[in-house]
Amino acid sequence: YRSLCLLQALASQNAQLQKLVDTDQLTGVSSRQHFVETLQQELEVAQRQQSPLALVLFDIDFFKRINDGYGHAVGDQVLVTFAEVATRCLRGRDLLGRLGGSEFSILLPETDLGKALLIAEQIRSEVATISIPTENGTVQFTASVGASEACATDRSTDDLLKRTAQALHNAKAGGHDRIALA
């Protein structure tokens, strides 16, 4: 009986550790490591089944200004609020991850670029309506977005991520608060 209890406790602790690895502690969304692992698995499935797979990258515009002007606690609230809004717009199999800083990504299995664009636009437009009251005034922010669809020629997740990151760069270069497609 004692051995069984110890095994159950160990299994419980392992599950808790795995959750810590898989989850971004601030926002509660997928961690970068878990997101990239899941992207790899879904890319393999999409290529094997010849089904569409879309990837969307979001970056909160001028996030450094928010942190510098309002403080890191407000910056953290911006990140948490973005994650909450984006999560509400997603479907069951979609995966939202925080890649780092103010950059988030959404994995959209069985989704072509047209449908991904609709989801990205819904999130982008809802984010633009967020208002966070602070001691120093109300914080409002926008996000730039890059979107891409997996191709048969993608050899790895890096190919898809790089293409989507280039689209995000184009959105920022085009004036922020917009979507660019790759």
Side-chain angles (χ1 to χ4, degrees):
Y1 176 76
R2 182 178 151 105
S3 294
L4 179 61
C5 288
L6 288 173
L7 286 173
Q8 287 175 333
L10 182 60
S12 175
Q13 287 179 337
N14 283 341
Q16 290 173 342
L17 286 173
Q18 191 62 50
K19 185 174 183 188
L20 287 173
V21 169
D22 291 349
T23 306
D24 176 69
Q25 296 307 297
L26 176 64
T27 61
V29 301
S30 177
S31 68
R32 178 185 185 89
Q33 176 183 342
H34 180 254
F35 185 87
V36 173
E37 289 171 359
T38 305
L39 174 60
Q40 177 65 44
Q41 294 165 2
E42 290 292 344
L43 181 60
E44 290 170 5
V45 168
Q47 288 177 332
R48 189 171 50 252
Q49 296 178 353
Q50 296 181 343
S51 61
L53 173 76
L55 183 66
V56 181
L57 287 176
F58 288 85
D59 194 23
I60 296 170
D61 295 324
F62 308 110
F63 184 70
K64 185 174 178 351
R65 288 187 198 169
I66 294 169
N67 266 343
D68 292 348
Y70 295 91
H72 290 278
V74 174
D76 287 352
Q77 186 59 45
V78 165
L79 297 172
V80 169
T81 305
F82 174 89
E84 290 170 351
V85 167
T87 299
R88 284 196 305 262
C89 297
L90 299 181
R91 307 161 302 175
R93 274 192 67 200
D94 301 340
L95 180 65
L96 174 64
R98 182 172 174 215
L99 299 187
S102 63
E103 191 171 276
F104 291 82
S105 188
I106 300 175
L107 174 60
L108 301 165
E110 299 179 19
T111 305
D112 63 25
L113 194 54
K115 289 179 187 170
L117 179 60
L118 293 174
I119 293 167
E121 176 56 28
Q122 180 184 6
I123 294 169
R124 189 204 61 76
S125 63
E126 287 191 30
V127 163
T129 68
I130 295 170
S131 293
I132 299 175
T134 73
E135 293 174 355
N136 299 323
T138 301
V139 174
Q140 294 181 298
F141 59 96
T142 59
S144 295
V145 188
S148 183
E149 187 175 348
C151 301
T153 58
D154 287 335
R155 301 230 183 271
S156 70
T157 56
D158 285 345
D159 293 342
L160 180 55
L161 281 165
K162 285 178 186 174
R163 194 169 54 253
T164 311
Q166 182 59 51
L168 174 60
H169 175 77
N170 293 344
K172 287 183 161 296
H176 302 278
D177 191 25
R178 64 187 66 227
I179 299 173
L181 306 177

